[in-house]
Amino acid sequence: MSRSLLLSWRFLLRDWRSGELWLLMLSLLMAVSVSTSIAIFSDRLQLSLGRQVAEVMGADLVISSSKKLSEEVSQAIEDQPVEQATVLEFPSVVMAGDQMQLVSAKAVTLNYPLRGHMRTADQPFVADEVTEDTPAEGEVWLEPRLFPLLEVEVGDTLLLGEAEFKVARAITLETDRGSGFYSLSPRLMFNISDLGATGIIQPGSRVHWRTLIAGEAEQLATFKSKVEPLLSDSEKLNLAEDDREDLRGSVVLLKQFLGLGSIAAMLLAGIAVAMSSRRFAERRFDGIAVMRCMGAQQNQLMQIFVGELLWMAVLVSIPGVIIGWLLQVGVVKLLANVLPPWLPEAGPLPMIVGGLTGIITLVGFGLAPLLRLKDVTPLRVLRRELTPAAAGVWSVYGLSLIAMLVLLWYHTGQLLMTVGMILGVSAVILLITLTIKAGLASVQRRLSGQPVPMPWRLGLKRLLQEQGQTSAQLTAFTLTFMAMALVLLVRTDLLERWQQQLPEKTPNYFAINIQPAEVKSFQNFLQSNDINGTTLYPMVRGRLIEINGLPAKEAVTEEQRNHNSLHRELNMTWSDRPRSEVKIVAGEWWQPGDTGEISIERSIVEHLGVDLGDELTFTIAGTKVTAEVTSIREVQWESFQPNFYMILPEASLKGLPATWLNSFYLPQQDRLVLNELVRQFPTISLLDMDAVIRQVQVMLEQSILAVEAMLLALLLAGLLVLASAIEASLDTRLREGALIRSLGGSRKQLVIMQAGEFFILGAFSGVMAVVGTEICSGWLNVQVFELSWQPAIWLWFTLPIVSALLIGLSGWLGIRRVIRQSPGVVLK
């Protein structure tokens, strides 16, 4: 160990025993523990949410194909350490006695599904339960609406192809059935080992193969890199998080919010470290002056104190990581009733990054104040007022800024949000600096021109005399309240969006294939049974064949060629007026009676490169329909409302075959009415979304709790920043208080002066925090979270008052030592 490091260690032990380091080490401990706990909890929660999305798809990823996978691909899958299951879907006709019905048959292996579970019931339209098994050989499970259509009961037999099966259960939920609203035919599920006995699958049969894959994140990444290059054009690999548009938005929003919370927490921790480091440096000015008189060199002193800082970082990082891990364990235990019954364990990376966060935070925020120590002169021994000016530390701040940018990018995964927040904070700091100079100049003029009560006058004069410290404290207070208010505002907007996403009585059933002649009688049935149904929507199915006169697959890039919209018929509708909840992001809607126009959903622009002015040609029931893209819409797929990729004017689709779609809400206790609905309208396809909605609601509840836990962590971090800022000026306040008391000042005057100063700082920082919050929240809502934004008027009234009261109370609690301390003790 070098001599400088040894001296640094001795100084560290001395300062620890004297109590000089507790605030700085506590601030650093908070930086490490909070960032570690957030990183681990966020990582585990994101993994669990990803797993829940996978549960809705039945696997972590799926390979879809129109035929059995090639031997090469099958062997590559066998070589990977992942679980796999096979699902085969095809349309067929099932017969029971004299009844016959078109069904969507599904053959599954014994380990289906790999993620999530199915729910079944002993009878149709009764209470269901989770099941861990699959149909046994010789058994079939039917969707509830098939029972009245086939006039069968549990225990009866039916014929599928050449094989006879026994009806065993009613299926109420398939994990992967919810991936689209338009799986039209009712479901029949059987064991894949019975497939040969049916004799249905022949060369040329219309069959949809799906290979389900499940494994750990590292295994899936390796699997994708090994297998995906081997797939043909007819074989498509889908990840769980990319497959469910109705769930993806909520997961992405939660990830972004946790990232924002990480930025705010690290900012608060950095402020606390900077304020504590400043006090740590200022209390060493006198000691260094004496050491300089004894012959110590600048470089030697800097090596000692920087070494002490590094010793501190290393020693605090280890317990900080442990505390961070324990904190997230405590949060998981506390939220055990609402979090998933299992949470994937986070890898070692969040803990490593948490430890590095502490070191980088200390160096980035704490080194700059220590650099002032090298400018302490021996003359300070005789002239105590010779305080070294702030050092030129732009290189230190620059390197620290880059390091913090990388760390925040890791925590958030959002480069745009990270850069934007850093630029926003920098702009707020500049605004604070300029405002402080103008504000203090105004106060100085007011003090010289108007009478002010003496205690308040003394407090205001002190703010003028200690402009450097005033600026530092105001910056710390402003950024603290800004970070907390910003997270609170975004949290409120997110909760409102999630609550609007699934309001009470969200439609839980979709009725599809309603024939035009049945529309009126269907509406009458809903009204007579007091069922709350939404508007009926016409639905036309067409295939996109041309883009700007070129065949669709030739008009797009090779990567875009794999998009599902080019390989299947699309569900389209007509409307001469946009729905109230539709958001037009580009272009304009047409007028009633217009033709040749089309409105497309925004993701089509991203996936196919189609934009305003392009011409799309569809084939609908053998008829070609060409339309120009005149508007682009944003669709909230997670709303569980009927949504369409393509909308055309009614005149464009007039005379083409169409069916109608309706969604409605039905309480569980009234589900038996569905038997009568299916009997009266046997051609209607009924899709039960109740279980999927419940699953999404659980995910949203967990997301809300994660948001609340983040707010609590930020509150604790903010309180520590306040303590650091107050403690940083305590030495000066002790000396001033002793002088005022020795010159005849009363305790009451001292309390008013000191507490009044903090009330002024609090109110001013509250106003500045509101300005910064409005700027940053507007940018975040529009550019990152894609939420609507409007000024938070209530914040302009509440935040200055709350910050004045909170900082004033905190200041009063912090300066009680100033009031109680004997002037003689301090002056000695």
Side-chain angles (χ1 to χ4, degrees):
M1 184 180 296
S2 67
R3 179 176 175 80
S4 296
L5 285 177
L6 183 60
L7 287 173
S8 298
W9 177 253
R10 291 178 177 175
F11 271 68
L12 180 69
L13 294 178
R14 183 201 64 182
D15 290 338
W16 174 256
R17 285 193 293 266
S18 65
E20 294 283 335
L21 294 178
W22 75 269
L23 188 58
L24 179 56
M25 295 189 78
L26 185 61
S27 301
L28 182 59
L29 189 66
M30 183 197 75
V32 178
S33 58
V34 169
S35 62
T36 301
S37 61
I38 288 177
I40 296 176
F41 182 71
S42 174
D43 194 48
R44 295 183 68 185
L45 190 61
Q46 290 180 30
L47 287 173
S48 73
L49 290 175
R51 181 68 62 86
Q52 286 179 282
V53 176
E55 287 184 0
V56 181
M57 197 171 81
D60 293 318
L61 57 86
V62 174
I63 300 176
S64 303
S65 60
S66 57
K67 58 183 179 180
K68 195 171 183 178
L69 296 178
S70 66
E71 290 293 334
E72 185 182 16
V73 174
S74 299
Q75 186 59 50
I77 295 175
E78 291 290 341
D79 293 339
Q80 300 299 315
V82 295
E83 292 182 81
Q84 62 170 306
T86 302
V87 175
L88 188 65
E89 294 185 57
F90 55 90
S92 185
V93 173
V94 63
M95 292 184 292
D98 296 331
Q99 300 299 320
M100 183 170 58
Q101 178 67 39
L102 177 67
V103 298
S104 174
K106 183 175 187 176
V108 299
T109 53
L110 290 175
N111 59 342
Y112 168 86
L114 298 182
R115 296 285 186 236
H117 53 261
M118 290 188 293
R119 298 182 70 92
T120 61
D122 294 332
Q123 298 293 333
F125 303 116
V126 299
D128 59 359
E129 61 182 4
V130 173
T131 181
E132 300 297 337
D133 55 355
T134 53
E137 293 185 12
E139 288 184 354
V140 291
W141 294 356
L142 303 181
E143 195 172 328
R145 56 181 164 138
L146 266 177
F147 285 83
L149 290 175
L150 293 173
E151 297 182 0
V152 296
E153 297 179 353
V154 172
D156 292 346
T157 60
L158 51 77
L159 192 67
L160 177 65
E162 300 174 1
E164 193 174 79
F165 293 88
K166 176 184 177 181
V167 179
R169 294 187 199 175
I171 308 172
T172 58
L173 172 68
E174 302 166 69
T175 57
D176 51 347
R177 183 66 179 271
S179 59
F181 289 156
Y182 308 112
S183 301
L184 303 181
S185 300
R187 172 71 75 211
L188 177 149
M189 183 183 293
F190 65 101
N191 195 300
I192 200 169
S193 61
D194 291 325
L195 182 63
T198 64
I200 294 176
I201 306 302
Q202 302 294 332
S205 296
R206 184 183 172 187
V207 180
H208 182 59
W209 292 82
R210 288 191 300 125
T211 303
L212 311 184
I213 304 295
E216 299 301 325
E218 298 80 5
Q219 295 172 338
L220 295 175
T222 303
F223 177 91
K224 187 177 179 182
S225 64
K226 296 286 187 183
V227 175
E228 193 169 28
L230 303 177
L231 300 179
S232 64
D233 292 340
S234 62
E235 298 165 342
K236 184 179 179 182
L237 187 148
N238 292 321
L239 292 174
E241 59 184 16
D242 296 331
D243 189 69
R244 289 306 304 267
E245 295 183 5
D246 50 350
L247 302 181
R248 189 193 316 157
S250 300
V251 175
V252 169
L253 281 176
L254 179 59
K255 289 181 179 180
Q256 290 173 336
F257 181 83
L258 292 175
L260 175 63
S262 299
I263 293 177
M266 293 180 67
L267 176 64
L268 293 179
I271 295 171
V273 169
M275 298 299 294
S276 303
S277 180
R278 175 183 173 136
R279 179 173 184 263
F280 177 80
E282 289 177 349
R283 299 192 72 170
R284 273 141 190 82
F285 288 162
D286 294 340
I288 289 179
V290 173
M291 294 171 68
R292 291 293 306 279
C293 289
M294 303 299 293
Q297 300 296 316
Q298 277 187 348
N299 291 339
Q300 183 183 13
L301 292 174
M302 286 306 302
Q303 289 175 4
I304 291 173
F305 286 103
V306 171
E308 186 175 358
L309 208 65
L310 294 177
W311 274 118
M312 199 184 311
V314 173
L315 292 176
V316 171
S317 292
I318 297 174
V321 169
I322 296 173
I323 292 174
W325 182 82
L326 292 174
L327 281 175
Q328 63 86 25
V329 169
V331 171
V332 171
K333 294 289 186 184
L334 188 64
L335 305 180
N337 292 333
V338 290
L339 288 175
W342 46 263
L343 274 178
E345 289 297 332
L349 188 58
M351 289 183 281
I352 295 173
V353 173
L356 291 176
T357 298
I359 296 174
I360 294 175
T361 301
L362 183 58
V363 172
F365 290 92
L367 183 58
L370 286 184
L371 293 180
R372 297 179 65 189
L373 298 178
K374 68 183 180 62
D375 295 326
V376 176
T377 64
L379 192 59
R380 182 179 166 87
V381 172
L382 300 176
R383 297 180 59 185
R384 295 285 301 279
E385 73 277 8
L386 289 180
T387 300
V393 290
W394 295 111
S395 59
V396 175
Y397 283 133
L399 292 174
S400 302
L401 183 63
I402 294 173
M404 291 297 292
L405 178 62
V406 173
L407 276 176
L408 289 173
W409 188 8
Y410 163 79
H411 280 291
T412 62
Q414 298 282 327
L415 181 60
L416 176 64
M417 181 169 64
T418 302
V419 173
M421 283 300 298
I422 289 179
L423 292 177
V425 169
S426 302
V428 170
I429 292 175
L430 178 61
L431 179 64
I432 292 171
T433 304
L434 297 176
T435 306
I436 287 173
K437 288 185 178 182
L440 291 179
S442 175
V443 169
Q444 192 166 16
R445 289 193 300 270
R446 184 172 295 274
L447 285 177
S448 60
Q450 296 182 8
V452 178
M454 181 56 65
W456 291 94
R457 187 181 186 89
L458 292 175
L460 291 172
K461 278 187 171 294
R462 189 182 180 284
L463 292 177
L464 293 171
Q465 292 168 356
E466 299 288 342
Q467 291 193 22
Q469 182 170 291
T470 299
S471 299
Q473 288 183 326
L474 272 175
T475 301
F477 293 149
T478 300
L479 291 179
T480 299
F481 285 108
M482 175 183 155
M484 298 170 69
L486 183 60
V487 173
L488 179 63
L489 277 184
V490 175
R491 165 256 187 201
T492 303
D493 291 338
L494 282 181
L495 295 189
E496 288 180 357
R497 172 164 175 168
W498 284 334
Q499 288 166 356
Q500 293 171 2
Q501 174 179 326
L502 287 177
E504 188 178 357
K505 296 186 178 180
T506 296
N508 54 355
Y509 285 91
F510 282 78
I512 308 168
N513 270 357
I514 304 172
Q515 300 302 314
E518 297 175 326
V519 169
K520 186 64 177 177
S521 55
F522 179 83
Q523 291 177 320
N524 292 335
F525 180 89
L526 296 184
Q527 293 175 1
S528 61
N529 289 277
D530 294 325
I531 298 176
N532 184 21
T534 62
T535 305
L536 273 79
Y537 298 91
M539 188 169 68
V540 176
R541 294 179 64 82
R543 185 179 294 273
L544 177 62
I545 58 172
E546 292 181 3
I547 300 176
N548 293 326
L550 295 175
K553 293 186 179 180
E554 296 180 13
V556 297
T557 64
E558 185 175 351
E559 183 179 357
Q560 293 168 342
R561 206 168 293 158
N562 293 324
H563 191 256
N564 199 30
S565 60
L566 299 180
H567 299 275
R568 64 177 178 88
E569 288 188 327
L570 300 174
N571 295 294
M572 300 181 288
T573 189
W574 67 69
S575 177
D576 283 337
R577 290 182 177 82
R579 288 154 53 185
S580 58
E581 68 272 17
V582 167
K583 180 181 179 182
I584 306 295
V585 296
E588 295 181 355
W589 204 264
W590 49 82
Q591 296 298 319
D594 289 349
T595 61
E597 300 183 37
I598 188 171
S599 176
I600 62 175
E601 197 270 329
R602 187 166 66 173
S603 66
I604 296 295
V605 176
E606 302 168 358
H607 293 305
L608 297 183
V610 178
D611 209 341
L612 293 175
D614 289 342
E615 282 193 350
L616 307 181
T617 301
F618 301 86
T619 176
I620 304 173
T623 302
K624 283 189 176 183
V625 175
T626 300
E628 179 185 347
V629 178
T630 56
S631 64
I632 299 173
R633 294 168 292 112
E634 181 178 329
V635 171
Q636 299 294 336
W637 295 104
E638 63 268 25
S639 65
F640 286 91
Q641 299 290 336
N643 291 308
F644 297 86
Y645 281 112
M646 310 286 182
I647 301 179
L648 291 87
E650 182 177 358
S652 295
L653 301 178
K654 189 175 182 179
L656 293 175
T659 58
W660 293 77
L661 161 71
N662 176 257
S663 60
F664 56 88
Y665 172 76
L666 188 66
Q668 188 167 0
Q669 64 270 18
D670 298 335
R671 295 175 70 176
L672 288 177
V673 75
L674 295 176
N675 282 312
E676 183 60 29
L677 177 66
V678 173
R679 289 191 184 97
Q680 286 194 26
F681 305 96
T683 61
I684 289 178
S685 297
L686 201 61
L687 186 60
D688 184 354
M689 299 298 297
D690 212 25
V692 177
I693 290 174
R694 286 200 302 268
Q695 194 169 18
V696 175
Q697 287 173 333
V698 169
M699 289 180 63
L700 294 184
E701 289 173 4
Q702 294 163 5
S703 300
I704 291 171
L705 283 168
V707 168
E708 303 295 349
M710 178 69 73
L711 278 177
L712 179 60
L714 288 178
L715 176 61
L716 297 177
L719 293 176
L720 185 55
V721 171
L722 297 182
S724 302
I726 293 169
E727 192 75 15
S729 63
L730 191 60
D731 295 334
T732 304
R733 296 180 188 280
L734 282 170
R735 289 194 296 270
E736 290 180 353
L739 286 172
I740 292 173
R741 292 284 305 281
S742 64
L743 294 174
S746 65
R747 288 191 175 188
K748 181 179 179 181
Q749 289 175 323
L750 193 58
V751 168
I752 294 176
M753 183 188 77
Q754 299 278 12
E757 177 187 340
F758 280 108
F759 275 107
I760 294 171
L761 285 173
F764 192 65
S765 63
V767 173
M768 297 303 301
V770 172
V771 175
T773 300
E774 291 282 34
I775 294 172
C776 291
S777 67
W779 179 82
L780 280 172
N781 278 20
V782 175
Q783 298 297 327
V784 178
F785 294 100
E786 297 182 355
L787 301 171
S788 59
W789 177 81
Q790 57 184 4
I793 304 300
W794 61 271
L795 199 64
W796 289 89
F797 298 98
T798 57
L799 189 56
I801 297 174
V802 169
S803 59
L805 293 175
L806 185 58
I807 293 178
L809 179 61
S810 302
W812 177 78
L813 293 173
I815 62 174
R816 284 185 300 175
R817 269 188 287 167
V818 177
I819 301 170
R820 295 174 180 175
Q821 188 74 270
S822 169
V825 174
V826 177
L827 294 176
K828 288 179 182 179

PDB file of all heavy atoms in Angstrom, residues 404-418:
ATOM      1  N   MET A 404     -22.427   9.258 -15.755  1.00  0.00           N
ATOM      2  CA  MET A 404     -23.804   9.227 -15.263  1.00  0.00           C
ATOM      3  C   MET A 404     -24.780   8.954 -16.411  1.00  0.00           C
ATOM      4  O   MET A 404     -25.788   8.251 -16.237  1.00  0.00           O
ATOM      5  CB  MET A 404     -24.151  10.559 -14.592  1.00  0.00           C
ATOM      6  CG  MET A 404     -23.416  10.801 -13.286  1.00  0.00           C
ATOM      7  SD  MET A 404     -23.847   9.584 -12.011  1.00  0.00           S
ATOM      8  CE  MET A 404     -25.543  10.018 -11.702  1.00  0.00           C
ATOM      9  N   LEU A 405     -24.485   9.512 -17.589  1.00  0.00           N
ATOM     10  CA  LEU A 405     -25.340   9.280 -18.744  1.00  0.00           C
ATOM     11  C   LEU A 405     -25.392   7.794 -19.084  1.00  0.00           C
ATOM     12  O   LEU A 405     -26.462   7.233 -19.352  1.00  0.00           O
ATOM     13  CB  LEU A 405     -24.824  10.079 -19.936  1.00  0.00           C
ATOM     14  CG  LEU A 405     -25.592   9.914 -21.263  1.00  0.00           C
ATOM     15  CD1 LEU A 405     -27.026  10.397 -21.102  1.00  0.00           C
ATOM     16  CD2 LEU A 405     -24.897  10.677 -22.379  1.00  0.00           C
ATOM     17  N   VAL A 406     -24.226   7.133 -19.050  1.00  0.00           N
ATOM     18  CA  VAL A 406     -24.174   5.699 -19.351  1.00  0.00           C
ATOM     19  C   VAL A 406     -24.955   4.910 -18.306  1.00  0.00           C
ATOM     20  O   VAL A 406     -25.725   3.995 -18.625  1.00  0.00           O
ATOM     21  CB  VAL A 406     -22.710   5.220 -19.420  1.00  0.00           C
ATOM     22  CG1 VAL A 406     -22.648   3.703 -19.561  1.00  0.00           C
ATOM     23  CG2 VAL A 406     -21.991   5.881 -20.594  1.00  0.00           C
ATOM     24  N   LEU A 407     -24.768   5.264 -17.022  1.00  0.00           N
ATOM     25  CA  LEU A 407     -25.468   4.554 -15.954  1.00  0.00           C
ATOM     26  C   LEU A 407     -26.984   4.736 -16.053  1.00  0.00           C
ATOM     27  O   LEU A 407     -27.756   3.779 -15.930  1.00  0.00           O
ATOM     28  CB  LEU A 407     -24.988   5.056 -14.594  1.00  0.00           C
ATOM     29  CG  LEU A 407     -23.710   4.419 -14.042  1.00  0.00           C
ATOM     30  CD1 LEU A 407     -23.326   5.088 -12.734  1.00  0.00           C
ATOM     31  CD2 LEU A 407     -23.894   2.930 -13.834  1.00  0.00           C
ATOM     32  N   LEU A 408     -27.399   5.974 -16.293  1.00  0.00           N
ATOM     33  CA  LEU A 408     -28.829   6.230 -16.398  1.00  0.00           C
ATOM     34  C   LEU A 408     -29.425   5.547 -17.619  1.00  0.00           C
ATOM     35  O   LEU A 408     -30.567   5.072 -17.585  1.00  0.00           O
ATOM     36  CB  LEU A 408     -29.081   7.746 -16.463  1.00  0.00           C
ATOM     37  CG  LEU A 408     -28.827   8.509 -15.169  1.00  0.00           C
ATOM     38  CD1 LEU A 408     -28.942  10.002 -15.404  1.00  0.00           C
ATOM     39  CD2 LEU A 408     -29.788   8.083 -14.075  1.00  0.00           C
ATOM     40  N   TRP A 409     -28.666   5.487 -18.684  1.00  0.00           N
ATOM     41  CA  TRP A 409     -29.121   4.772 -19.877  1.00  0.00           C
ATOM     42  C   TRP A 409     -29.339   3.301 -19.546  1.00  0.00           C
ATOM     43  O   TRP A 409     -30.304   2.688 -19.983  1.00  0.00           O
ATOM     44  CB  TRP A 409     -28.105   4.952 -20.994  1.00  0.00           C
ATOM     45  CG  TRP A 409     -28.559   4.425 -22.323  1.00  0.00           C
ATOM     46  CD1 TRP A 409     -29.806   3.961 -22.645  1.00  0.00           C
ATOM     47  CD2 TRP A 409     -27.782   4.319 -23.514  1.00  0.00           C
ATOM     48  NE1 TRP A 409     -29.849   3.568 -23.962  1.00  0.00           N
ATOM     49  CE2 TRP A 409     -28.623   3.767 -24.526  1.00  0.00           C
ATOM     50  CE3 TRP A 409     -26.471   4.614 -23.842  1.00  0.00           C
ATOM     51  CZ2 TRP A 409     -28.168   3.526 -25.809  1.00  0.00           C
ATOM     52  CZ3 TRP A 409     -26.020   4.383 -25.131  1.00  0.00           C
ATOM     53  CH2 TRP A 409     -26.870   3.845 -26.096  1.00  0.00           C
ATOM     54  N   TYR A 410     -28.430   2.745 -18.733  1.00  0.00           N
ATOM     55  CA  TYR A 410     -28.612   1.344 -18.326  1.00  0.00           C
ATOM     56  C   TYR A 410     -29.876   1.198 -17.490  1.00  0.00           C
ATOM     57  O   TYR A 410     -30.678   0.278 -17.696  1.00  0.00           O
ATOM     58  CB  TYR A 410     -27.410   0.863 -17.523  1.00  0.00           C
ATOM     59  CG  TYR A 410     -27.706  -0.409 -16.746  1.00  0.00           C
ATOM     60  CD1 TYR A 410     -27.707  -1.641 -17.371  1.00  0.00           C
ATOM     61  CD2 TYR A 410     -28.020  -0.363 -15.385  1.00  0.00           C
ATOM     62  CE1 TYR A 410     -28.011  -2.800 -16.679  1.00  0.00           C
ATOM     63  CE2 TYR A 410     -28.324  -1.510 -14.679  1.00  0.00           C
ATOM     64  CZ  TYR A 410     -28.312  -2.729 -15.332  1.00  0.00           C
ATOM     65  OH  TYR A 410     -28.614  -3.867 -14.637  1.00  0.00           O
ATOM     66  N   HIS A 411     -30.060   2.107 -16.511  1.00  0.00           N
ATOM     67  CA  HIS A 411     -31.207   1.992 -15.611  1.00  0.00           C
ATOM     68  C   HIS A 411     -32.529   2.175 -16.355  1.00  0.00           C
ATOM     69  O   HIS A 411     -33.523   1.522 -16.029  1.00  0.00           O
ATOM     70  CB  HIS A 411     -31.115   3.034 -14.491  1.00  0.00           C
ATOM     71  CG  HIS A 411     -30.183   2.645 -13.381  1.00  0.00           C
ATOM     72  ND1 HIS A 411     -30.445   1.621 -12.517  1.00  0.00           N
ATOM     73  CD2 HIS A 411     -28.977   3.141 -13.006  1.00  0.00           C
ATOM     74  CE1 HIS A 411     -29.449   1.494 -11.642  1.00  0.00           C
ATOM     75  NE2 HIS A 411     -28.555   2.407 -11.929  1.00  0.00           N
ATOM     76  N   THR A 412     -32.564   3.083 -17.338  1.00  0.00           N
ATOM     77  CA  THR A 412     -33.823   3.405 -17.992  1.00  0.00           C
ATOM     78  C   THR A 412     -34.033   2.625 -19.279  1.00  0.00           C
ATOM     79  O   THR A 412     -35.173   2.314 -19.639  1.00  0.00           O
ATOM     80  CB  THR A 412     -33.890   4.907 -18.333  1.00  0.00           C
ATOM     81  OG1 THR A 412     -32.832   5.220 -19.262  1.00  0.00           O
ATOM     82  CG2 THR A 412     -33.710   5.745 -17.079  1.00  0.00           C
ATOM     83  N   GLY A 413     -32.957   2.317 -19.983  1.00  0.00           N
ATOM     84  CA  GLY A 413     -33.100   1.706 -21.304  1.00  0.00           C
ATOM     85  C   GLY A 413     -33.670   2.671 -22.322  1.00  0.00           C
ATOM     86  O   GLY A 413     -34.039   2.279 -23.426  1.00  0.00           O
ATOM     87  N   GLN A 414     -33.747   3.960 -21.961  1.00  0.00           N
ATOM     88  CA  GLN A 414     -34.334   4.980 -22.827  1.00  0.00           C
ATOM     89  C   GLN A 414     -33.328   6.113 -23.013  1.00  0.00           C
ATOM     90  O   GLN A 414     -33.190   6.990 -22.165  1.00  0.00           O
ATOM     91  CB  GLN A 414     -35.625   5.530 -22.204  1.00  0.00           C
ATOM     92  CG  GLN A 414     -36.715   4.516 -22.013  1.00  0.00           C
ATOM     93  CD  GLN A 414     -37.423   4.215 -23.310  1.00  0.00           C
ATOM     94  OE1 GLN A 414     -37.567   5.067 -24.178  1.00  0.00           O
ATOM     95  NE2 GLN A 414     -37.873   2.979 -23.452  1.00  0.00           N
ATOM     96  N   LEU A 415     -32.605   6.090 -24.120  1.00  0.00           N
ATOM     97  CA  LEU A 415     -31.592   7.120 -24.363  1.00  0.00           C
ATOM     98  C   LEU A 415     -32.235   8.488 -24.520  1.00  0.00           C
ATOM     99  O   LEU A 415     -31.729   9.484 -23.984  1.00  0.00           O
ATOM    100  CB  LEU A 415     -30.774   6.766 -25.615  1.00  0.00           C
ATOM    101  CG  LEU A 415     -29.650   7.748 -25.972  1.00  0.00           C
ATOM    102  CD1 LEU A 415     -28.638   7.838 -24.832  1.00  0.00           C
ATOM    103  CD2 LEU A 415     -28.963   7.333 -27.264  1.00  0.00           C
ATOM    104  N   LEU A 416     -33.364   8.555 -25.235  1.00  0.00           N
ATOM    105  CA  LEU A 416     -34.035   9.832 -25.451  1.00  0.00           C
ATOM    106  C   LEU A 416     -34.457  10.453 -24.129  1.00  0.00           C
ATOM    107  O   LEU A 416     -34.229  11.645 -23.888  1.00  0.00           O
ATOM    108  CB  LEU A 416     -35.250   9.633 -26.359  1.00  0.00           C
ATOM    109  CG  LEU A 416     -36.115  10.878 -26.608  1.00  0.00           C
ATOM    110  CD1 LEU A 416     -35.325  11.936 -27.352  1.00  0.00           C
ATOM    111  CD2 LEU A 416     -37.378  10.511 -27.400  1.00  0.00           C
ATOM    112  N   MET A 417     -35.072   9.656 -23.250  1.00  0.00           N
ATOM    113  CA  MET A 417     -35.515  10.175 -21.968  1.00  0.00           C
ATOM    114  C   MET A 417     -34.332  10.584 -21.104  1.00  0.00           C
ATOM    115  O   MET A 417     -34.361  11.625 -20.444  1.00  0.00           O
ATOM    116  CB  MET A 417     -36.363   9.129 -21.233  1.00  0.00           C
ATOM    117  CG  MET A 417     -36.874   9.608 -19.886  1.00  0.00           C
ATOM    118  SD  MET A 417     -38.122   8.526 -19.158  1.00  0.00           S
ATOM    119  CE  MET A 417     -37.201   7.031 -18.901  1.00  0.00           C
ATOM    120  N   THR A 418     -33.257   9.799 -21.115  1.00  0.00           N
ATOM    121  CA  THR A 418     -32.086  10.109 -20.302  1.00  0.00           C
ATOM    122  C   THR A 418     -31.449  11.417 -20.734  1.00  0.00           C
ATOM    123  O   THR A 418     -31.183  12.305 -19.906  1.00  0.00           O
ATOM    124  CB  THR A 418     -31.066   8.968 -20.402  1.00  0.00           C
ATOM    125  OG1 THR A 418     -31.681   7.747 -19.982  1.00  0.00           O
ATOM    126  CG2 THR A 418     -29.866   9.246 -19.523  1.00  0.00           C
TER     127      THR A 418
END
